[in-house]
Amino acid sequence: MLSLPAWKCPEWTLNASLVNTSSPEFVEEWQKRIRELQGAIMVASCVQMLVGFSGLIGFLLRFIGPLTIAPTISLVALPLFDSAGSDAGTHWGVSALTSFLIVLFSQYLRNVAVPVPVYGKKCHTSKFYLFQVFPVLLALCLCWLLCFLLTATDSLPSAPTAYGYLARTDTKGSVLTEAPWFRFPYPGQWGLPTISLAGVFGIIAGVISSMVESVGDYYACARLVGAPPPPKHAVNRGIGMEGLGCLLAGAWGTANGTTSYSENIGALGITRVGSRMVMVAAGCVLLVLGVFGKIGAAFATIPQPVIGGMFLVMFGIITAVGISSLQYADMNSQRNLCVFGFSVFCGLAVPNWVNRNPEMLQTGLPELDQVIQVLLTTGMFVGGFLGFLLDNTIPGSREERGLLAWSQMQEAPEDTATATEVYGLPWGIGTQRCACSCARGLPCWPGQEGGGRGGLGPCSTAPADTRL
């Protein structure tokens, strides 16, 4: 939306050294753009809630199989190789160390128990699988500390243009000093949101891509934690709640929506922790970080190569998870090889061409140009759409397409009880509480068989969903 001529930044704002960021003119320039984004996000989020809570996305699941899910998930991470490589390339030594430590902790040392003191009636030690639970956090902290020591001893270059400068922990020192200690955000803090047709259509295009990605994320999340595939009511509820999150984000003026974060799927694959209660606790931590500005700003000092090293591992895992969905399809079939290969390659080639030649997509209608450009520059949408289209139009048996094994796995008796426990609403809602017949008819309601316990503990082998 902000790429439209009407919303491009004025020339006088481009030179940061000559701009007074506290002047009323400059403040109005960025606030009116946020207000435009707020209005577009809030309207588009209503479309997403309608698609989710009405059951439309669940209806489409009957046509979605491994050959649609695999390219969608894989293309979440594959187009990001340039970004991950750029971040890691700011200092390959630090990024390589970060990747090495994550692999070391999560793979080589995951079964090594560390004795920890336990205080009860008498003091004793207990085994705790530290490396299995906190591989990413340990690697991040160790490399962050190393960069801090190298910065303190001035072992890293101090010139901004020198190689390795971005490995310093003081490159964003002003962020920490300028951040307020306490700030409570509230709806409408930037003024009354504004709405334009171009903005709404642009964000709706992003919402469509987000829903395609989210469906793939739900299946990837379930596979990584050993849970059964999510049933229709869970997918409906997930998409609807993401829409609700976007509505709240737009009202609070964050200038961005909320959706399933694919990098977290990679983190879940490394840590093997899939408890919903962990996600709830993480949400509470984020609420605290959002109110106390200094705490949140401290994380901005994490050096760029440390982030790049984490991305190298996490994006690789996401790609592999997508490809692993093909185990249910017959990959000796020429049909399936064509569908998957063509979808993935177009998901990489088409967005690359559109980004290089945006002027070629000129229909005369800026709103339509915006929608087309957003869709065609989103690799997961291009690949997922082509996989969906080809898989449902090229002749092939259900067994060949993987739909038979997919449906049998979803409907297996041993998985039914597990799915009921994993994807049921918390606190017995739907069974002991709010079990009225009208509620069970809702597409996002688990029904009489869908109630279950609200969450599982952070056990690495227990199947649990990370999202309701």
Side-chain angles (χ1 to χ4, degrees):
M1 188 193 79
L2 295 180
S3 63
L4 295 177
W7 294 107
K8 287 188 176 180
C9 296
E11 292 291 335
W12 61 272
T13 64
L14 299 181
N15 192 338
S17 62
L18 301 178
V19 174
N20 180 11
T21 57
S22 60
S23 66
E25 294 81 7
F26 183 80
V27 170
E28 177 60 22
E29 283 295 331
W30 66 262
Q31 284 192 359
K32 69 180 183 181
R33 286 164 172 77
I34 290 187
R35 290 195 296 267
E36 182 73 11
L37 282 172
Q38 281 186 261
I41 290 171
M42 293 174 71
V43 174
S45 66
C46 294
V47 175
Q48 185 170 4
M49 285 191 292
L50 178 63
V51 171
F53 291 135
S54 67
L56 178 60
I57 191 69
F59 170 78
L60 294 175
L61 284 179
R62 69 182 65 184
F63 305 105
I64 297 176
L67 290 172
T68 302
I69 296 296
T72 302
I73 299 177
S74 299
L75 287 167
V76 170
L78 283 176
L80 298 176
F81 74 92
D82 187 52
S83 175
S86 298
D87 289 344
T90 55
H91 196 294
W92 278 109
V94 173
S95 60
L97 178 62
T98 305
S99 299
F100 170 75
L101 290 177
I102 293 176
V103 174
L104 176 67
F105 296 153
S106 65
Q107 304 301 322
Y108 291 97
L109 301 179
R110 60 181 176 178
N111 294 322
V112 176
V114 177
V116 294
V118 176
Y119 298 95
K121 293 183 179 179
K122 66 164 124 179
C123 182
H124 63 282
T125 60
S126 178
K127 292 183 178 180
F128 180 64
Y129 292 92
L130 177 69
F131 301 112
Q132 186 182 101
V133 178
F134 301 117
V136 177
L137 183 61
L138 287 174
L140 184 147
C141 291
L142 289 175
C143 292
W144 195 0
L145 177 61
L146 173 64
C147 290
F148 174 76
L149 295 176
L150 293 176
T151 302
T153 57
D154 209 24
S155 300
L156 294 170
S158 57
T161 57
Y163 176 81
Y165 170 76
L166 292 178
R168 299 179 65 95
T169 56
D170 59 357
T171 58
K172 300 177 182 178
S174 60
V175 175
L176 187 60
T177 57
E178 294 175 3
W181 278 103
F182 180 83
R183 187 181 185 279
F184 192 82
Y186 56 90
Q189 57 187 323
W190 314 122
L192 187 66
T194 58
I195 298 174
S196 68
L197 193 61
V200 170
F201 273 103
I203 300 298
I204 286 178
V207 164
I208 293 173
S209 302
S210 170
M211 288 190 290
V212 173
E213 177 192 2
S214 293
V215 172
D217 284 343
Y218 298 162
Y219 282 91
C221 177
R223 278 189 50 76
L224 284 173
V225 298
K232 292 180 182 178
H233 67 79
V235 175
N236 291 334
R237 191 166 63 247
I239 296 297
M241 291 305 295
E242 286 189 18
L244 179 60
C246 289
L247 180 64
L248 296 176
W252 259 259
T254 62
N256 63 272
T258 61
T259 183
S260 55
Y261 193 49
S262 302
E263 285 81 350
N264 284 345
I265 306 299
L268 189 147
I270 294 174
T271 62
R272 307 296 298 168
V273 176
S275 170
R276 286 175 291 186
M277 298 312 298
V278 173
M279 299 298 109
V280 172
C284 294
V285 171
L286 291 176
L287 288 174
V288 173
L289 296 181
V291 174
F292 296 97
K294 292 290 186 184
I295 301 177
F299 287 95
T301 64
I302 299 176
Q304 198 166 329
V306 176
I307 303 297
M310 289 193 296
F311 282 170
L312 291 177
V313 180
M314 293 182 181
F315 291 163
I317 290 177
I318 295 172
T319 304
V321 168
I323 296 174
S324 69
S325 300
L326 297 173
Q327 64 179 296
Y328 301 105
D330 180 11
M331 294 314 292
N332 291 319
S333 167
Q334 185 67 28
R335 171 196 183 275
N336 293 348
L337 290 175
C338 175
V339 171
F340 177 71
F342 181 73
S343 301
V344 171
F345 197 79
C346 285
L348 295 172
V350 172
N352 181 65
W353 183 87
V354 174
N355 283 322
R356 291 173 179 266
N357 305 277
E359 70 282 353
M360 300 295 289
L361 299 175
Q362 299 293 336
T363 64
L365 296 174
E367 296 83 1
L368 183 59
D369 295 343
Q370 176 95 17
V371 174
I372 294 175
Q373 187 163 356
V374 170
L375 290 177
L376 294 184
T377 53
T378 306
M380 69 195 77
F381 175 80
V382 175
F385 174 77
L386 288 176
F388 176 84
L389 179 65
L390 296 177
D391 189 36
N392 285 280
T393 55
I394 298 177
S397 64
R398 287 178 56 82
E399 182 178 5
E400 181 184 14
R401 297 168 59 190
L403 295 178
L404 185 61
W406 195 269
S407 60
Q408 287 176 347
M409 181 183 62
Q410 289 179 308
E411 299 170 1
E414 62 271 17
D415 284 345
T416 302
T418 305
T420 299
E421 183 178 19
V422 170
Y423 298 108
L425 293 173
W427 306 303
I429 297 177
T431 52
Q432 290 86 12
R433 301 183 180 91
C434 302
C436 57
S437 58
C438 59
R440 288 199 297 268
L442 296 175
C444 59
W445 200 260
Q448 186 65 30
E449 76 282 0
R453 295 199 303 265
L456 299 176
C459 175
S460 61
T461 58
D465 185 26
T466 60
R467 186 190 298 102
L468 276 176

